[in-house]
Amino acid sequence: MQRHAPAHRGDGGWQLVRRWRRTARTHLTPVQRSLLTTWVSFGVTFGTVRVITHGIRGGWLPWGNISVGREHLHHYNLGIAALAGVGLIAVRGDERAVGHPVVATAYGCGSALICDEFALLLDLRDVYWGDQGRISVDVSLGALSVLGAYLTATPFWHEILKITGAHGATAARGREAGAVG
């Protein structure tokens, strides 16, 4: 069992963050790290946006909606901009940039901003606070749940894929052998 020295007062938690990063590098593949970062940033962004929108609507936050001139700027616009930036990085194809945690964070944040206003995009009406707006919450929680389930069971899914592939190959060989004989 590995022992860790206790964190010192005043280190601001950076020692703990370094340990988390070292553990992630040791136990997760680069793809798993990117997916985990995407998942966490999606969840944090979705929760934060929901709190902010309720605060704006309830008047208990000191700021209001974002507007350009007199036009309200919905937060899905910021999500589209984030995903366009991520897409540009992906198209460019720089391996270091594609796997960078900032790219995964931007993808998770941008996706959450879009999913949170999914109902508006679906109906092309501002239904955020109406009954139809519930679909945005359902889509967001569904996306968060599916990615979370995948992340928690990644070794299982990889093993299932290997077993299924091996089974398919064995069955194909059996069919070939039966056709020849």
Side-chain angles (χ1 to χ4, degrees), residues 45 49 53 66 71-84 109-122 124-128 136:
T45 301
V49 165
T53 55
I66 300 171
E71 193 68 32
H72 172 67
L73 186 64
H74 290 272
H75 52 270
Y76 75 82
N77 290 296
L78 302 174
I80 290 170
L83 292 188
C109 292
S111 297
L113 292 170
I114 292 170
C115 285
D116 187 53
E117 293 203 297
F118 183 79
L120 180 150
L121 295 168
L122 186 63
L124 296 179
R125 291 182 299 135
D126 194 354
V127 295
Y128 194 83
S136 297

Side-chain angles (χ1 to χ4, degrees), residues 32 146-160:
Q32 289 172 324
V146 167
L147 185 54
Y150 173 76
L151 287 170
T152 58
T154 297
F156 168 77
W157 295 119
H158 286 273
E159 190 63 25
I160 289 295

Side-chain angles (χ1 to χ4, degrees), residues 26-38:
T26 303
H27 297 286
L28 300 173
T29 67
V31 170
Q32 289 172 324
R33 287 194 302 268
S34 289
L35 288 172
L36 181 62
T37 302
T38 297

